[in-house]
Amino acid sequence: MNCLICKDLERTFVSRRSQYTEALSAAYYRVTTELAACKNVDMERAKSDLEEHRSICIYAANRKRPRPTASPTRLESALSRGAGNT
């Protein structure tokens, strides 16, 4: 990949995903899901920024790697069951 913007956005996305995963596994997650939800929003924004740039980037158009995806999270599962304690 030759595009510095792609590299920077991908690095940001990976960092945000790591922070989100860390927030999900933290001890305080059982008490409040608010921090994990904020980290999830940050991660999704980073993913969106990366995908938006890749849609117009000439270097990314030549790549064959799949775009990053986020699998359903524990937070999303808990919220769908109505267990969101804040």
Side-chain angles (χ1 to χ4, degrees):
M1 167 184 346
N2 294 327
C3 180
L4 295 177
I5 296 171
C6 285
K7 288 179 184 179
D8 186 46
L9 290 171
E10 188 156 3
R11 190 172 26 252
T12 300
F13 170 68
V14 169
S15 171
R16 300 280 194 239
R17 183 177 54 197
S18 175
Q19 291 172 359
Y20 174 61
T21 303
E22 188 177 307
L24 286 177
S25 62
Y28 54 80
Y29 177 75
R30 294 189 186 271
V31 177
T32 180
T33 59
E34 187 173 340
L35 180 62
C38 289
K39 297 291 183 185
N40 187 29
V41 169
D42 291 342
M43 178 191 67
E44 291 296 331
R45 283 184 183 147
K47 182 176 87 170
S48 176
D49 291 345
L50 176 60
E51 289 176 343
E52 182 178 319
H53 175 74
R54 282 185 177 169
S55 72
I56 61 168
C57 180
I58 60 170
Y59 295 110
N62 295 327
R63 289 178 58 199
K64 300 296 181 197
R65 279 182 40 189
R67 296 177 185 203
T69 58
S71 60
T73 63
R74 287 191 284 168
L75 176 61
E76 291 168 349
S77 300
L79 292 176
S80 68
R81 290 190 309 265
N85 306 3
T86 55

